[in-house]
């Protein structure tokens, strides 16, 4: 592979280190979502049954957070964000190496810098979630797979097996990229059945490392499997936002949301008009040369095969995100942002056909757009108070006791914040009414998601709930709960049941 001491790479690495320091300095101080709270609680006590974190456990991410926590003054949220920022910055080398499969040194360094500057990936690296750490591991897995494609040595072929095990121990939903292992297995099978079996054993052993650790924490394999089945059932049938849930929008709507809002607008452009303009201008320049035949920096035959398989893995993940993930959360499209920016850099280089000044100007415009959008998102994550935290402060300071608060998923965050007032998650009107009648001496407040849920269940909510206050935060940082309206359940009114 390209030596680490190449000057273009050193410049890209220095740029990545600078961005990492910036993201550490501007990391979000809040665990403002259900999943973020799961991870933060896991650093105190790892317990899958208590959803600390939720299944499958993300053990390598949590373990890294535990290791870094003392360096962040014991702050669990900061430590988890630190894991993501450091892991993503470390991926500058595989980003550069993969770009060198099709580009000269300086253009490859520019491509790596653009990938490191990705606005939305940078936001992920400033949040206490597993995505940025998984992205870093994914780039290292891609690098290991490319090395295995290039090398005839069996020992090198074992690197992607180990890297894939590390990736799965950070984020299981990136399993679609395991497709890159298939051609490596086929190659071994054609040359030696014994080595092919050894390759499969290495892949299995890499997964067994983290699975066995989780089985031990659960006490038994049966308990672990039962927990996994229940989690999968809930994900695909109730709360996971997959295409199989009853509340999922129609497939064309899912597709449009995933591609145009999540991937292109938020993921690639960072939700910024200026970034979009810069990238569109660069993309137009690249597309103008699609018909040209004198492309430069074409990949060698082994690298071309690896890149084709990488494209197939990206397509497989896209289908997974479309059908099995919650499209209300743009973070699920994160693995496909890097390949899009990589292709943009490659297209620009071929479009410029050796005119370095033109390529440099186009890449500088794209890079500036990403940095502008990224700094805005970092500032929002660091300085703006999440809507759910605003809700908690309002309830603690402004609502007159005694009262109770009925929520959707917000209760997980309220519990983490140490809310002293009664609060409970309710998904059905029957349960909410029972809670209200159980405590007739308390005023009952509900959040907007609860009211929306009641309306979807056929409940007449118009006359029974009065808005009290609305709390707003950044919609990209908090995609689901960026706007929370607090309602009071009127004592003199009764919401009509669906059967009334």
């Amino acid at each position: 592979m390209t030596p680490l001491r190449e000057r273009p790479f050193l410049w890209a690495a220095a740029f990545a280190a600078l961005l990492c320091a910036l993201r550490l300095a501007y990391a979000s101080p809040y665990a403002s979502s259900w999943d973020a709270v799961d991870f933060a609680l896991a650093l105190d006590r790892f317990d899958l049954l208590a959803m600390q974190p939720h299944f499958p456990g993300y053990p390598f991410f949590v373990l890294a957070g535990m290791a870094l926590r003392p360096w962040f003054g014991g702050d669990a949220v900061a430590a988890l964000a630190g894991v993501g920022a450091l892991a993503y910055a470390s991926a500058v080398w595989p980003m550069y190496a993969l770009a060198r499969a099709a580009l000269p040194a300086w253009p490859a360094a520019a491509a790596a810098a653009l990938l490191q500057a990705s606005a939305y990936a940078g936001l992920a690296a400033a949040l206490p979630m597993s995505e940025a750490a998984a992205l870093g591991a994914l780039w290292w897995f891609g690098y290991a797979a490319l090395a295995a494609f290039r090398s005839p040595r069996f020992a090198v072929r074992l690197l992607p097996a180990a890297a894939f095990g590390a990736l799965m121990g950070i984020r299981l939903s990136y399993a679609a990229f395991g497709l890159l292992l298939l051609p490596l297995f086929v190659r071994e099978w054609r040359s030696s059945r014994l080595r092919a079996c050894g390759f499969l054993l290495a892949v299995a052993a890499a997964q067994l490392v983290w699975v066995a650790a989780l089985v031990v924490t659960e006490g038994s394999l049966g308990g672990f499997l039962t927990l996994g089945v229940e989690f999968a059932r809930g994900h695909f049938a109730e709360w996971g936002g997959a295409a199989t849930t009853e509340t999922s929008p129609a497939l064309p709507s899912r597709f449009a949301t995933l591609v145009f809002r999540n991937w292109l607008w938020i993921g690639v452009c960072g939700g910024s008009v200026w970034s979009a303009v810069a990238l569109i201008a660069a993309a137009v320049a690249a597309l103008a040369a699609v018909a040209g035949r004198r492309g430069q920096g074409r990949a060698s035959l082994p690298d071309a095969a690896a890149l084709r398989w990488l494209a197939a893995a990206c397509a497989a993940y896209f289908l997974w995100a479309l059908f099995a993930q919650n499209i209300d959360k743009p973070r699920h499209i994160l693995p496909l942002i890097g390949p899009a920016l990589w292709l943009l850099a490659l297209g620009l280089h071929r479009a410029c056909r050796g005119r370095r000044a033109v390529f440099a100007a186009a890449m500088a415009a794209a890079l500036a757009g990403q940095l502008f959008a990224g700094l805005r998102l970092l500032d929002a994550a660091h300085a703006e108070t999440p809507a759910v935290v605003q809700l908690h402060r309002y309830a603690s300071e402004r609502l007159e006791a005694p009262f109770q608060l009925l929520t959707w998923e917000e209760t997980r965050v309220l519990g983490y914040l140490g809310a002293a007032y009664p609060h409970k998650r309710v998904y059905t009107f029957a349960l909410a009414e029972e809670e209200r009648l159980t405590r007739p001496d308390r005023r009952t407040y509900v959040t907007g998601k609860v009211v929306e849920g009641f309306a979807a269940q056929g409940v007449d909510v118009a006359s029974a709930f009065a808005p009290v206050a609305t709390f707003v935060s950044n919609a990209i940082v908090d995609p689901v709960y960026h706007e929370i309206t607090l309602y009071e359940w009127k004592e003199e009114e009764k919401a009509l049941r669906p059967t009334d």
Side-chain angles (χ1 to χ4, degrees), residues 138 141 174-181 306-320 336:
L138 181 59
F141 172 57
Y174 290 4
F177 290 94
L179 188 62
L180 286 171
L181 298 174
L307 295 176
R308 283 195 296 270
W309 277 99
L310 178 59
C314 289
Y317 182 81
F318 177 84
L319 293 176
W320 170 260
L336 302 185

Side-chain angles (χ1 to χ4, degrees), residues 116-190:
Q116 281 289 320
S118 170
Y120 193 55
L123 172 64
L127 299 178
M129 298 287 289
S130 64
E131 274 80 11
L135 286 178
L138 181 59
W139 280 103
W140 280 105
F141 172 57
Y143 167 75
L146 179 61
F149 269 89
R150 286 174 166 178
S151 176
R153 297 173 54 195
F154 179 71
V156 177
R157 304 279 174 80
L158 298 181
L159 292 178
F164 188 64
L167 175 62
M168 293 297 92
I170 297 174
R171 189 158 186 85
L172 187 61
S173 61
Y174 290 4
F177 290 94
L179 188 62
L180 286 171
L181 298 174
L182 179 59
L184 299 175
F185 169 74
V186 171
R187 182 179 296 182
E188 296 299 338
W189 182 263
R190 289 174 176 173

Side-chain angles (χ1 to χ4, degrees), residues 217-485:
T217 64
E218 281 305 296
S220 68
L221 178 61
F224 178 75
L225 293 177
T226 299
L227 190 60
V229 170
E230 290 300 319
F231 180 84
R233 181 181 292 117
H235 177 86
F236 289 103
E238 299 175 12
W239 43 261
T244 51
T245 58
E246 293 183 358
T247 57
S248 172
L251 185 58
S253 177
R254 287 182 66 93
F255 181 86
T257 299
L258 183 66
V259 173
F260 297 109
R261 189 198 71 172
N262 294 1
W263 188 20
L264 297 179
W265 172 242
I266 295 178
V268 176
C269 299
S272 165
V273 173
W274 293 110
S275 176
V277 169
L279 289 174
I280 289 173
V284 168
L287 290 173
V290 168
R293 298 181 179 180
R294 295 182 297 166
Q296 296 185 4
R298 295 186 184 277
S300 62
L301 185 59
D303 291 349
L307 295 176
R308 283 195 296 270
W309 277 99
L310 178 59
C314 289
Y317 182 81
F318 177 84
L319 293 176
W320 170 260
L322 176 63
F323 291 104
Q325 297 284 49
N326 189 341
I327 59 169
D328 290 334
K329 300 176 180 179
R331 58 187 174 88
H332 292 134
I333 204 65
L334 274 165
L336 302 185
I337 297 172
L341 294 176
W342 187 91
L343 287 174
L344 175 65
L346 178 61
L348 281 174
H349 186 261
R350 292 184 174 178
C352 294
R353 297 181 181 179
R355 290 171 289 185
R356 297 180 180 179
V358 178
F359 174 77
M363 287 295 289
L367 186 61
Q370 290 295 311
L371 289 174
F372 175 79
L375 289 174
R376 290 184 61 185
L377 291 177
L378 282 180
D379 181 68
H382 181 74
E384 292 187 17
T385 304
V388 65
V389 179
Q390 297 177 44
L391 166 67
H392 166 65
R393 293 175 180 174
Y394 184 92
S396 300
E397 300 169 2
R398 302 285 297 276
L399 294 183
E400 183 179 351
F403 70 90
Q404 62 178 337
L405 179 58
L406 305 181
T407 75
W408 208 253
E409 293 184 347
E410 301 97 326
T411 193
R412 183 66 162 173
V413 181
L414 299 178
Y416 182 74
L417 294 173
Y421 48 85
H423 59 90
K424 188 172 183 177
R425 178 181 60 168
V426 294
Y427 280 162
T428 65
F429 176 75
L431 179 60
E433 192 172 43
E434 180 181 342
E435 288 294 323
R436 181 194 182 201
L437 296 177
T438 301
R439 297 183 174 91
D441 59 319
R442 297 178 181 269
R443 291 186 176 183
T444 300
Y445 295 89
V446 300
T447 61
K449 290 292 184 182
V450 174
V451 173
E452 292 173 11
F454 290 169
Q457 296 166 30
V459 176
D460 181 9
V461 299
S463 61
F465 300 97
V468 176
T470 298
F471 314 97
V472 180
S473 56
N474 188 280
I476 298 180
V477 179
D478 299 303
V480 178
Y481 292 95
H482 61 276
E483 182 175 341
I484 301 176
T485 299

